[in-house]
């Protein structure tokens, strides 16, 4: 999260149900505040005077321009405009409390804002969908959560969660990659009792899965990452916390149960002092590791997210920056290098997991530069389109450099939707497997109950698959139990 002056992002649901006040919008006052018109607000769109609309209030954020962690340009792009939806989706209400009382310069009649005209219809649609939602026990597999999410999430949340880069080829390939690998099951083994426990960097975990860091869980549910923390804690698995989480890391840390482990996803900041401060903070809060994310010097072009916020004029979006994700990379260090791993290790004793590795060569470099674990991932297909699926990189690593598995723990994520996907990766040498979007969908549909049910489904499927391949413990899952079969994959694809 952009921890800094904001003390982290936090989210409440999109304010589709904001209550307008009764006013003609043509001057006057309410609650001691002047009632402003949109035309008046639109005049304040420069460094000299920057106003924004949030809820039914107008704020003068001119003095905040150069305090913003992501820079003044982000605010100036939205100055003189209604920013309620984007603000509410990724910021904490406490941000506004940082402003002086006199910086709330007035109120506005939201009925007269063109940007709010779709709110009532969207709110009605979501209400109808929520009323028709089946019980969480009806979720049979992880795909079920996604189908429900399409119906009950706001357009903004769905566009952001489901979006991937450009043609979305990498995202589709992630999902298909596990279909290229088939089992070679062993039979006549006593599999009544099985053990799915393992450890991640010495931390015990009940299952060989973890929650991949995924931004803005609050778009789907007001409790955001806190729901996922609670669900993961009760199930005994580790959660990775996104740098762009909706809730503050203090809120998330406070939701832990005794002994629960959290890892923090770190993007190194252009301002190294800010990164140092964040690292100290997570260390003080008792986080158990850092997932250093290295595949995002800039954000990929996520077109579903972009299209959800169409421009209203040619000069509205300089550089094509639109969508919820438009400004999430504003503080990223574009010139990240391997030498930065040593810098990070020099300021913390926490174990370092290097996340976003996509080639065998970079696995070797990550180990050479001191990674405690290597995390194969193409960012859910959100970054470079046509980047390889982590499962395929894992297979290549097993074939070309099997000795790497003894030098560092290897994790993967991307396209995991079945317990059988997890078992395939474990057999090829992965220590643990992460899931991102499925937990966003589970949280966005059912909150903490959804998170718990998603983990139960995975536990059931992993257990069933282990018994059917003839493995009583994770140590009995070996490479010989999996084979790559591209011919079978093509036949399966054509049938579908």
């Amino acid at each position: 999260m952009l921890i800094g002056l904001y003390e982290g992002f936090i989210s409440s649901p999109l304010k589709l149900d904001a209550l307008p006040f009764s006013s003609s919008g043509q001057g006057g006052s309410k609650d001691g505040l002047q009632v402003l018109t949109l035309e008046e607000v639109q005049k304040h769109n420069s460094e000299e005077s920057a106003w924004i609309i949030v809820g039914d209030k107008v704020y003068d954020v001119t003095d905040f321009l150069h305090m913003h962690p992501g820079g003044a340009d982000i605010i100036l792009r939205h100055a003189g405009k209604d920013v309620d939806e984007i603000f509410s989706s990724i910021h904490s209400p406490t941000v506004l409390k940082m402003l002086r009382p006199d910086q709330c310069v007035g109120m506005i009649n939201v009925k007269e804002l063109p940007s709010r005209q779709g709110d009532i219809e969207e709110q009605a649609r979501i209400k109808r969908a929520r009323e028709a939602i089946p019980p969480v026990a009806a979720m049979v597999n992880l795909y079920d959560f996604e189908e429900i999410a399409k119906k009950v999430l706001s357009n903004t949340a769905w566009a952001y969660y489901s979006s991937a880069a450009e043609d979305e080829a990498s995202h589709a390939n992630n999902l298909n990659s596990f279909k290229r690998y088939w089992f070679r099951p062993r039979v006549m083994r006593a599999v009544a009792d099985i053990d799915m426990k393992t450890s991640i960097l010495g931390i015990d975990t009940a299952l060989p899965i973890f929650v991949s860091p995924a931004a803005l869980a609050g778009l789907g549910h007001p409790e955001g990452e806190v729901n996922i923390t609670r669900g993961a804690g009760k199930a005994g698995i580790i959660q990775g916390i996104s740098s762009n989480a909706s809730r503050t890391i203090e809120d998330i840390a406070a939701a832990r149960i005794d002994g629960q482990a959290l890892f923090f996803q770190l993007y190194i900041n252009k301002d190294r002092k800010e990164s140092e401060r964040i690292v100290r903070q997570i260390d003080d809060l008792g986080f158990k590791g850092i997932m250093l994310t290295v595949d995002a010097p800039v954000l990929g072009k996520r077109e579903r997210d972009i299209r959800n916020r169409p421009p209203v004029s040619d000069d509205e979006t300089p550089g094509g920056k639109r969508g919820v994700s438009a400004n999430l990379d504003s503080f990223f260090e574009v010139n990240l290098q391997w030498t930065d791993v040593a810098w990070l290790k020099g300021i913390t004793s926490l174990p370092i997991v290097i996340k976003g590795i996509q080639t065998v060569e970079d696995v070797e470099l990550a180990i050479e530069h001191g990674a405690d674990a290597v995390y194969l991932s193409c960012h859910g297909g959100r970054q470079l389109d046509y980047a390889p699926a982590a499962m395929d990189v894992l297979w290549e690593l097993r074939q070309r450099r099997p000795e790497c598995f003894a030098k560092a723990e290897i994790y993967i994520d991307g396209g995991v939707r079945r317990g059988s996907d997890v078992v395939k990766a474990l057999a090829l040498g992965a220590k643990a497997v992460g899931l991102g979007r499925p937990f966003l969908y589970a949280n966005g549909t059912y909150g903490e109950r959804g998170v718990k049910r998603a983990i139960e489904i995975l536990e059931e499927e992993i257990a069933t698959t282990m018994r059917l391949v003839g493995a009583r413990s994770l140590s009995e899952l070996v490479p010989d139990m999996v084979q790559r079969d591209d011919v079978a994959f093509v036949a399966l694809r054509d049938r579908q």
Side-chain angles (χ1 to χ4, degrees), residues 438-454:
F439 285 119
L440 291 177
Y441 294 141
N443 174 63
T445 50
Y446 296 94
E448 182 186 341
R449 292 180 302 133
V451 175
K452 290 167 64 178
R453 179 60 190 143

Side-chain angles (χ1 to χ4, degrees), residues 29 58 113 120 127 134 147 218 225 254 289 332 354 367 411 444 493:
S29 65
V58 180
L113 296 175
I120 295 174
K127 184 174 184 292
E147 288 302 312
E225 290 76 15
F332 292 2
I354 299 186
I367 294 171
Y411 317 135
R493 181 195 63 195

Side-chain angles (χ1 to χ4, degrees), residues 196-382:
M196 293 180 282
K197 296 190 294 296
T198 188
S199 64
I200 295 176
L201 292 175
I203 301 166
D204 291 336
T205 177
L207 296 167
I209 59 172
F210 61 90
V211 180
S212 299
L216 304 180
L219 281 173
H221 192 286
E223 290 294 297
E225 290 76 15
V226 166
N227 278 337
I228 302 175
T229 301
R230 291 170 180 151
K234 291 171 183 175
I237 68 170
I238 292 172
Q239 178 188 9
I241 306 301
S242 170
S243 283
N244 290 306
S246 301
R247 299 296 299 265
T248 67
I249 57 172
E250 292 89 350
D251 287 341
I252 295 167
R256 289 174 297 188
I257 63 173
D258 288 344
Q260 181 177 352
L262 299 176
F263 281 49
F264 185 79
Q265 177 203 34
L266 180 70
Y267 293 97
I268 290 184
N269 199 301
K270 297 171 187 173
D271 180 355
R272 290 295 197 275
K273 290 182 180 178
E274 179 62 14
S275 289
E276 288 184 35
R277 191 194 65 76
I278 294 170
V279 169
R280 287 195 302 273
Q281 187 176 17
I282 62 172
D283 206 349
D284 291 343
L285 287 169
F287 279 65
K288 299 301 182 183
I290 293 173
M291 294 176 169
L292 173 62
T293 300
V294 298
D295 61 351
V298 296
L299 286 188
K301 186 184 179 188
R302 305 171 185 182
E303 295 185 2
R304 287 198 208 194
D305 185 34
I306 293 170
R307 291 183 190 281
N308 189 56
R309 297 180 183 279
V312 295
S313 66
D314 288 340
D315 59 354
E316 181 178 339
T317 53
K321 287 264 189 180
R322 296 203 309 276
V324 171
S325 61
N327 299 307
L328 295 183
D329 64 345
S330 58
F331 65 99
F332 292 2
E333 174 56 87
V334 179
N335 294 319
L336 194 66
Q337 300 178 66
W338 286 108
T339 52
D340 290 312
V341 179
W343 171 82
L344 181 58
K345 290 176 74 71
I347 64 170
T348 181
S349 59
L350 290 173
I352 307 298
V353 180
I354 299 186
K355 178 182 183 291
I357 299 299
Q358 298 163 79
T359 63
V360 170
E361 292 82 358
D362 280 347
V363 171
E364 293 180 294
L365 282 170
I367 294 171
E368 178 185 324
H369 285 85
D372 296 287
V374 178
Y375 190 156
L376 307 180
S377 174
C378 67
H379 219 105
R382 291 174 176 269

Side-chain angles (χ1 to χ4, degrees), residues 413-483:
D413 73 8
V416 180
R417 297 295 185 273
R418 289 284 188 182
S420 57
D421 298 340
V422 174
V423 173
K424 290 173 186 177
L426 297 174
L428 289 176
K431 183 70 171 178
V433 176
L435 296 92
R437 283 188 183 91
F439 285 119
L440 291 177
Y441 294 141
N443 174 63
T445 50
Y446 296 94
E448 182 186 341
R449 292 180 302 133
V451 175
K452 290 167 64 178
R453 179 60 190 143
I455 297 171
E456 288 170 359
I457 289 169
L458 287 164
E459 181 176 10
E460 293 161 4
E461 292 184 351
I462 292 169
T464 297
T465 305
M466 286 179 64
R467 288 188 170 101
L468 293 176
V469 299
R472 291 156 292 198
S473 67
L474 302 186
S475 63
E476 292 186 355
L477 292 170
V478 294
D480 284 347
M481 288 180 167
V482 174
Q483 62 184 345

